[in-house]
Coordinates of all heavy atoms in Angstrom, one line a residue:
I172 N 98.3 91.4 93.5 CA 97.9 92.0 94.7 C 97.7 91.0 95.9 O 98.2 91.1 97.0 CB 96.6 92.8 94.5 CG1 96.8 93.9 93.5 CG2 96.0 93.2 95.8 CD1 97.6 95.1 94.1
G173 N 97.0 89.9 95.5 CA 96.6 88.9 96.5 C 97.8 88.2 97.2 O 97.9 88.1 98.4
S174 N 98.8 87.9 96.4 CA 100.0 87.2 96.9 C 100.8 88.0 97.9 O 101.3 87.5 98.9 CB 100.9 86.7 95.8 OG 101.4 87.7 95.0
F175 N 100.8 89.3 97.6 CA 101.4 90.3 98.5 C 100.6 90.5 99.8 O 101.1 90.5 100.9 CB 101.7 91.6 97.8 CG 102.7 92.5 98.6 CD1 104.1 92.4 98.2 CD2 102.3 93.3 99.6 CE1 105.0 93.2 98.8 CE2 103.3 94.1 100.2 CZ 104.6 94.1 99.9
A176 N 99.3 90.6 99.6 CA 98.4 90.9 100.7 C 98.4 89.7 101.7 O 98.4 90.0 102.9 CB 96.9 91.1 100.2
L177 N 98.4 88.5 101.2 CA 98.4 87.4 102.2 C 99.6 87.4 103.1 O 99.5 87.2 104.3 CB 98.4 86.0 101.4 CG 97.2 85.8 100.5 CD1 97.3 84.3 100.0 CD2 95.9 86.0 101.2
Q178 N 100.8 87.7 102.5 CA 102.0 87.8 103.3 C 102.0 89.0 104.3 O 102.4 88.8 105.4 CB 103.2 87.9 102.4 CG 103.4 86.7 101.5 CD 104.6 86.8 100.5 OE1 105.7 86.6 100.9 NE2 104.3 87.3 99.3
H179 N 101.5 90.1 103.8 CA 101.4 91.3 104.6 C 100.5 91.1 105.8 O 100.8 91.4 107.0 CB 101.0 92.5 103.8 CG 101.1 93.8 104.4 ND1 102.1 94.1 105.3 CD2 100.4 94.9 104.3 CE1 102.0 95.3 105.8 NE2 101.0 95.9 105.1
L180 N 99.4 90.4 105.6 CA 98.4 90.2 106.6 C 99.0 89.2 107.6 O 98.8 89.3 108.9 CB 97.1 89.6 106.1 CG 96.3 90.7 105.3 CD1 95.2 90.1 104.5 CD2 95.7 91.7 106.3
R181 N 99.7 88.2 107.2 CA 100.3 87.2 108.1 C 101.3 87.9 109.0 O 101.4 87.7 110.2 CB 101.1 86.1 107.3 CG 101.8 85.1 108.2 CD 102.3 83.9 107.4 NE 103.2 84.4 106.3 CZ 103.7 83.5 105.4 NH1 103.4 82.2 105.4 NH2 104.5 84.0 104.4
A182 N 102.1 88.9 108.4 CA 103.1 89.6 109.2 C 102.4 90.5 110.2 O 102.9 90.8 111.3 CB 104.0 90.4 108.3
L183 N 101.2 91.0 109.9 CA 100.4 91.8 110.8 C 99.8 91.1 111.9 O 99.3 91.6 112.9 CB 99.4 92.6 110.0 CG 99.8 93.7 109.1 CD1 98.6 94.3 108.3 CD2 100.6 94.8 109.8
G184 N 99.7 89.7 111.8 CA 99.0 88.9 112.8 C 97.5 88.8 112.6 O 96.8 88.5 113.6
A185 N 97.0 88.9 111.4 CA 95.6 88.7 111.1 C 95.3 87.3 110.7 O 96.2 86.5 110.3 CB 95.2 89.6 109.9
E186 N 94.0 86.9 110.9 CA 93.6 85.6 110.4 C 93.1 85.8 109.0 O 92.3 86.7 108.7 CB 92.4 85.0 111.2 CG 91.9 83.7 110.8 CD 90.8 83.1 111.7 OE1 90.4 83.8 112.6 OE2 90.4 82.0 111.4
V187 N 93.6 85.0 108.0 CA 93.4 85.3 106.6 C 92.6 84.2 105.9 O 92.9 83.1 105.9 CB 94.8 85.5 105.9 CG1 94.5 86.0 104.5 CG2 95.7 86.5 106.7
L188 N 91.5 84.7 105.2 CA 90.8 83.8 104.3 C 91.0 84.4 102.9 O 91.2 85.6 102.7 CB 89.3 83.9 104.5 CG 88.7 83.4 105.8 CD1 89.0 84.3 107.0 CD2 87.1 83.3 105.7
T189 N 91.0 83.5 101.9 CA 91.2 83.9 100.5 C 90.5 83.0 99.5 O 90.2 81.9 99.9 CB 92.7 84.0 100.2 OG1 92.9 84.8 99.0 CG2 93.3 82.6 99.9
T190 N 90.2 83.6 98.4 CA 89.6 82.8 97.3 C 90.6 82.5 96.2 O 91.5 83.3 95.9 CB 88.5 83.6 96.6 OG1 88.9 84.8 96.1 CG2 87.4 83.9 97.7
V191 N 90.5 81.3 95.6 CA 91.4 80.9 94.5 C 90.5 80.0 93.6 O 89.4 79.7 93.9 CB 92.6 80.0 95.0 CG1 93.5 80.8 95.9 CG2 92.1 78.7 95.7
G192 N 91.1 79.7 92.4 CA 90.3 79.0 91.4 C 90.8 77.6 91.1 O 90.3 76.9 90.2
S193 N 91.8 77.1 91.9 CA 92.3 75.7 91.6 C 93.0 75.2 92.8 O 93.4 75.9 93.7 CB 93.3 75.7 90.4 OG 94.5 76.4 90.8
A194 N 93.2 73.8 92.9 CA 93.9 73.2 94.0 C 95.3 73.6 94.0 O 95.9 73.8 95.1 CB 93.8 71.7 93.9
E195 N 95.9 73.8 92.9 CA 97.3 74.3 92.8 C 97.5 75.6 93.4 O 98.4 75.9 94.2 CB 97.8 74.3 91.4 CG 99.3 74.7 91.2 CD 99.7 74.8 89.8 OE1 98.8 74.7 88.9 OE2 100.9 75.0 89.5
K196 N 96.6 76.5 93.1 CA 96.6 77.9 93.6 C 96.3 77.9 95.1 O 96.8 78.7 95.9 CB 95.7 78.8 92.9 CG 96.2 79.1 91.5 CD 95.3 80.1 90.8 CE 95.9 80.5 89.4 NZ 95.0 81.5 88.7
A197 N 95.5 76.9 95.6 CA 95.1 76.8 97.0 C 96.4 76.5 97.8 O 96.6 77.1 98.9 CB 94.1 75.8 97.2
S198 N 97.2 75.6 97.3 CA 98.5 75.2 98.0 C 99.4 76.4 98.1 O 100.0 76.7 99.1 CB 99.2 74.1 97.2 OG 98.4 72.9 97.2
L199 N 99.5 77.2 97.0 CA 100.4 78.4 97.0 C 99.8 79.4 98.0 O 100.6 80.0 98.8 CB 100.5 79.0 95.6 CG 101.2 80.3 95.5 CD1 102.7 80.1 96.0 CD2 101.2 80.8 94.1
A200 N 98.5 79.6 98.1 CA 97.9 80.6 99.0 C 98.2 80.2 100.4 O 98.5 81.1 101.2 CB 96.4 80.6 98.8
V201 N 98.2 79.0 100.8 CA 98.5 78.6 102.1 C 100.0 78.9 102.4 O 100.4 79.4 103.5 CB 98.2 77.1 102.3 CG1 98.8 76.6 103.7 CG2 96.7 76.8 102.3
E202 N 100.9 78.6 101.4 CA 102.3 78.9 101.6 C 102.5 80.4 101.8 O 103.4 80.8 102.6 CB 103.0 78.4 100.3 CG 104.5 78.6 100.4 CD 105.2 78.3 99.1 OE1 104.6 77.4 98.3 OE2 106.2 78.8 98.7
L203 N 101.7 81.2 101.2 CA 101.9 82.6 101.3 C 101.3 83.2 102.6 O 101.6 84.4 102.9 CB 101.2 83.3 100.1 CG 101.9 83.1 98.7 CD1 101.0 83.6 97.6 CD2 103.3 83.7 98.7
G204 N 100.5 82.5 103.2 CA 100.0 83.0 104.5 C 98.5 82.8 104.8 O 98.0 83.2 105.8
A205 N 97.7 82.2 103.9 CA 96.3 82.1 104.1 C 96.0 81.0 105.1 O 96.6 79.9 105.1 CB 95.6 81.7 102.8
D206 N 95.1 81.3 106.1 CA 94.7 80.3 107.1 C 93.6 79.4 106.5 O 93.4 78.3 106.9 CB 94.3 81.0 108.3 CG 95.4 81.8 109.0 OD1 96.3 81.2 109.5 OD2 95.3 83.0 108.9
H207 N 92.8 80.0 105.6 CA 91.6 79.3 105.1 C 91.5 79.7 103.6 O 91.6 80.8 103.2 CB 90.3 79.7 105.8 CG 90.4 79.6 107.3 ND1 90.2 78.5 108.0 CD2 90.6 80.6 108.2 CE1 90.4 78.7 109.3 NE2 90.6 80.0 109.4
V208 N 91.4 78.7 102.7 CA 91.3 78.9 101.3 C 89.9 78.4 100.8 O 89.5 77.3 101.1 CB 92.4 78.2 100.6 CG1 92.4 78.4 99.1 CG2 93.8 78.6 101.1
I209 N 89.3 79.2 100.0 CA 88.0 78.9 99.4 C 88.1 78.8 97.9 O 88.5 79.8 97.3 CB 86.9 80.0 99.8 CG1 86.8 80.1 101.3 CG2 85.6 79.6 99.2 CD1 86.1 81.3 101.8
N210 N 87.8 77.7 97.3 CA 87.8 77.5 95.8 C 86.5 78.1 95.3 O 85.4 77.4 95.5 CB 88.0 76.1 95.5 CG 88.2 75.9 94.0 OD1 87.7 76.6 93.1 ND2 89.1 74.9 93.6
Y211 N 86.5 79.2 94.7 CA 85.2 79.8 94.2 C 84.6 79.1 93.1 O 83.4 79.3 92.8 CB 85.5 81.3 93.8 CG 86.4 81.5 92.6 CD1 85.9 81.4 91.3 CD2 87.7 81.8 92.8 CE1 86.8 81.6 90.3 CE2 88.6 82.0 91.8 CZ 88.1 81.9 90.5 OH 89.0 82.1 89.4
R212 N 85.3 78.1 92.5 CA 84.7 77.3 91.4 C 83.9 76.2 91.9 O 83.0 75.7 91.3 CB 85.8 76.8 90.5 CG 86.6 77.9 89.7 CD 87.6 77.3 88.8 NE 88.5 78.2 88.2 CZ 88.3 79.1 87.2 NH1 87.1 79.1 86.7 NH2 89.2 79.9 86.8
T213 N 84.3 75.7 93.1 CA 83.6 74.5 93.6 C 82.9 74.7 94.9 O 82.2 73.8 95.4 CB 84.7 73.3 93.8 OG1 85.7 73.8 94.7 CG2 85.3 73.0 92.4
E214 N 83.1 75.8 95.6 CA 82.5 76.0 96.9 C 81.7 77.3 96.9 O 81.9 78.2 96.1 CB 83.6 76.1 98.0 CG 84.5 74.9 98.1 CD 85.6 75.1 99.2 OE1 86.6 75.7 98.9 OE2 85.3 74.6 100.3
D215 N 80.7 77.3 97.8 CA 79.8 78.5 98.0 C 80.6 79.5 98.9 O 80.8 79.2 100.1 CB 78.5 78.1 98.6 CG 77.5 79.3 98.7 OD1 77.8 80.1 99.6 OD2 76.6 79.3 98.0
L216 N 80.9 80.6 98.4 CA 81.8 81.6 99.1 C 81.1 82.0 100.4 O 81.7 82.0 101.5 CB 82.1 82.8 98.2 CG 82.8 84.0 98.9 CD1 84.1 83.6 99.4 CD2 82.9 85.2 97.9
G217 N 79.9 82.5 100.3 CA 79.2 83.0 101.5 C 79.0 81.9 102.6 O 79.3 82.2 103.8
Q218 N 78.7 80.7 102.2 CA 78.5 79.6 103.1 C 79.8 79.3 103.8 O 79.9 79.1 105.0 CB 78.0 78.4 102.4 CG 77.7 77.2 103.3 CD 77.2 76.0 102.5 OE1 76.4 76.2 101.6 NE2 77.5 74.8 103.0
R219 N 80.9 79.3 103.0 CA 82.2 78.9 103.6 C 82.7 80.0 104.6 O 83.3 79.7 105.6 CB 83.2 78.7 102.5 CG 83.0 77.4 101.7 CD 83.3 76.2 102.6 NE 84.7 76.1 102.9 CZ 85.2 76.0 104.1 NH1 84.4 75.9 105.2 NH2 86.5 75.9 104.3
V220 N 82.5 81.3 104.3 CA 82.9 82.3 105.2 C 82.1 82.2 106.5 O 82.7 82.3 107.6 CB 82.6 83.7 104.6 CG1 82.8 84.8 105.6 CG2 83.5 84.0 103.4
Q221 N 80.8 81.9 106.4 CA 80.1 81.7 107.7 C 80.5 80.5 108.5 O 80.6 80.6 109.7 CB 78.6 81.6 107.4 CG 78.0 82.8 106.7 CD 78.1 84.1 107.6 OE1 78.0 84.0 108.8 NE2 78.5 85.2 107.0
E222 N 80.9 79.4 107.8 CA 81.4 78.2 108.5 C 82.7 78.5 109.2 O 82.9 78.2 110.3 CB 81.5 77.1 107.5 CG 80.2 76.5 106.9 CD 80.4 75.5 105.8 OE1 81.6 75.4 105.4 OE2 79.4 74.9 105.4
I223 N 83.6 79.1 108.4 CA 84.9 79.4 109.0 C 84.9 80.4 110.1 O 85.6 80.2 111.1 CB 85.9 80.0 107.8 CG1 86.1 78.9 106.8 CG2 87.2 80.5 108.4 CD1 86.7 79.4 105.5
S224 N 84.0 81.4 110.0 CA 83.9 82.4 111.1 C 82.9 82.1 112.2 O 82.7 82.9 113.1 CB 83.6 83.8 110.4 OG 82.2 83.7 109.9
K225 N 82.3 80.9 112.0 CA 81.3 80.4 113.0 C 80.2 81.4 113.1 O 79.7 81.7 114.2 CB 81.9 80.2 114.4 CG 83.0 79.1 114.4 CD 83.6 78.9 115.8 CE 84.4 77.6 115.8 NZ 85.5 77.6 114.8
G226 N 79.8 81.9 111.9 CA 78.6 82.8 111.8 C 78.9 84.3 112.1 O 78.0 85.1 112.0
R227 N 80.1 84.6 112.5 CA 80.4 86.0 112.9 C 80.6 86.9 111.6 O 80.3 88.1 111.6 CB 81.6 86.1 113.8 CG 82.1 87.5 114.1 CD 83.3 87.4 115.0 NE 83.8 88.8 115.3 CZ 84.6 89.5 114.5 NH1 85.1 88.9 113.3 NH2 85.0 90.7 114.8
G228 N 81.3 86.3 110.6 CA 81.7 87.1 109.5 C 83.1 87.6 109.7 O 83.8 87.3 110.7
V229 N 83.6 88.3 108.7 CA 85.0 88.8 108.7 C 85.1 90.3 109.0 O 84.1 91.0 108.7 CB 85.8 88.5 107.4 CG1 85.9 87.0 107.2 CG2 85.1 89.2 106.2
D230 N 86.2 90.8 109.5 CA 86.3 92.2 109.9 C 86.6 93.1 108.7 O 86.1 94.2 108.6 CB 87.5 92.4 110.9 CG 87.2 91.7 112.2 OD1 86.2 92.0 112.9 OD2 88.0 90.7 112.5
A231 N 87.2 92.5 107.7 CA 87.6 93.3 106.5 C 87.7 92.5 105.3 O 88.0 91.3 105.3 CB 88.9 94.1 106.7
I232 N 87.4 93.1 104.1 CA 87.5 92.4 102.8 C 88.3 93.3 101.9 O 88.0 94.5 101.7 CB 86.1 92.1 102.2 CG1 85.3 91.1 103.1 CG2 86.3 91.5 100.8 CD1 83.9 90.9 102.6
L233 N 89.3 92.7 101.2 CA 90.0 93.4 100.1 C 89.5 92.8 98.8 O 89.7 91.6 98.5 CB 91.5 93.2 100.2 CG 92.4 93.9 99.2 CD1 92.2 95.4 99.4 CD2 93.8 93.5 99.3
D234 N 88.7 93.6 98.0 CA 88.0 93.0 96.9 C 88.4 93.6 95.5 O 88.5 94.8 95.4 CB 86.5 93.3 97.1 CG 85.7 92.8 95.9 OD1 85.8 91.7 95.5 OD2 84.8 93.6 95.4
V235 N 88.8 92.7 94.6 CA 89.1 93.1 93.3 C 88.0 92.8 92.2 O 88.2 93.0 91.1 CB 90.4 92.4 92.8 CG1 91.6 92.9 93.7 CG2 90.3 90.9 92.8
V236 N 86.9 92.2 92.7 CA 85.9 91.7 91.8 C 84.8 92.7 91.5 O 84.4 92.9 90.4 CB 85.3 90.4 92.4 CG1 84.2 89.8 91.5 CG2 86.3 89.3 92.7
G237 N 84.3 93.4 92.6 CA 83.3 94.4 92.4 C 81.9 93.8 92.4 O 81.5 93.1 93.3
A238 N 81.0 94.2 91.4 CA 79.6 93.9 91.4 C 79.2 92.5 91.7 O 78.3 92.2 92.4 CB 79.0 94.4 90.1
K239 N 79.9 91.6 91.0 CA 79.5 90.1 91.1 C 79.5 89.6 92.5 O 78.6 88.8 92.9 CB 80.6 89.3 90.3 CG 80.3 87.8 90.3 CD 81.3 87.1 89.4 CE 81.0 85.6 89.4 NZ 82.1 84.9 88.6
Y240 N 80.4 90.1 93.4 CA 80.4 89.6 94.8 C 79.9 90.6 95.8 O 80.0 90.3 97.0 CB 81.9 89.3 95.1 CG 82.4 88.0 94.6 CD1 83.8 87.6 94.7 CD2 81.6 87.0 93.9 CE1 84.3 86.4 94.2 CE2 82.1 85.9 93.4 CZ 83.5 85.6 93.6 OH 84.0 84.4 93.1
L241 N 79.3 91.7 95.4 CA 78.9 92.7 96.3 C 78.0 92.2 97.4 O 78.1 92.4 98.6 CB 78.3 93.9 95.6 CG 77.9 95.1 96.5 CD1 79.1 95.6 97.3 CD2 77.3 96.2 95.7
E242 N 76.9 91.5 97.0 CA 75.9 91.0 97.9 C 76.5 90.0 98.9 O 76.3 90.1 100.1 CB 74.7 90.4 97.2 CG 73.6 89.9 98.1 CD 72.4 89.3 97.3 OE1 72.5 89.3 96.1 OE2 71.5 88.8 98.0
T243 N 77.3 89.1 98.3 CA 77.9 88.1 99.2 C 78.9 88.7 100.1 O 79.0 88.3 101.3 CB 78.6 87.0 98.3 OG1 77.6 86.4 97.5 CG2 79.3 85.9 99.2
N244 N 79.7 89.7 99.6 CA 80.7 90.3 100.5 C 80.0 91.0 101.7 O 80.5 90.9 102.8 CB 81.5 91.3 99.7 CG 82.6 90.7 98.8 OD1 83.1 89.6 99.1 ND2 83.0 91.4 97.8
L245 N 79.0 91.8 101.4 CA 78.3 92.5 102.5 C 77.7 91.5 103.5 O 77.8 91.7 104.7 CB 77.2 93.4 101.9 CG 77.7 94.6 101.1 CD1 76.5 95.3 100.6 CD2 78.5 95.5 102.0
A246 N 77.2 90.4 103.1 CA 76.6 89.4 104.0 C 77.7 88.7 104.8 O 77.5 88.2 105.9 CB 75.8 88.4 103.2
S247 N 79.0 88.7 104.2 CA 80.1 88.1 104.9 C 80.8 88.9 105.9 O 81.7 88.4 106.6 CB 81.1 87.6 103.8 OG 80.5 86.6 102.9
L248 N 80.5 90.2 106.0 CA 81.1 91.1 106.9 C 80.5 91.0 108.3 O 79.3 90.9 108.5 CB 81.0 92.5 106.4 CG 82.0 93.0 105.3 CD1 81.6 94.3 104.8 CD2 83.4 93.0 105.7
A249 N 81.4 91.0 109.3 CA 80.9 91.1 110.7 C 80.4 92.5 111.0 O 80.6 93.4 110.2 CB 82.1 90.7 111.6
T250 N 79.7 92.6 112.1 CA 79.3 94.0 112.5 C 80.5 94.9 112.6 O 81.5 94.6 113.2 CB 78.6 93.9 113.9 OG1 77.4 93.0 113.7 CG2 78.1 95.2 114.4
G251 N 80.3 96.1 112.0 CA 81.4 97.0 112.0 C 82.5 96.7 110.9 O 83.5 97.3 110.9
G252 N 82.2 95.8 110.0 CA 83.1 95.4 109.0 C 83.4 96.5 107.9 O 82.5 97.3 107.7

Side-chain angles (χ1 to χ4, degrees):
I172 294 290
S174 60
F175 196 94
L177 298 188
Q178 297 179 81
H179 192 30
L180 288 165
R181 177 173 58 186
L183 291 176
E186 181 180 4
V187 187
L188 293 72
T189 195
T190 60
V191 298
S193 69
E195 180 184 9
K196 289 186 176 181
S198 297
L199 176 59
V201 171
E202 180 185 336
L203 292 171
D206 298 291
H207 311 279
V208 181
I209 302 167
N210 188 326
Y211 63 83
R212 298 184 191 278
T213 60
E214 299 179 279
D215 183 288
L216 172 61
Q218 181 179 328
R219 287 291 293 129
V220 170
Q221 295 303 316
E222 290 172 354
I223 293 165
S224 67
K225 297 180 172 56
R227 176 182 176 274
V229 297
D230 297 297
I232 298 174
L233 185 64
D234 178 47
V235 297
V236 180
K239 181 179 178 181
Y240 281 173
L241 182 60
E242 182 178 358
T243 300
N244 280 337
L245 290 177
S247 297
L248 284 169
T250 298

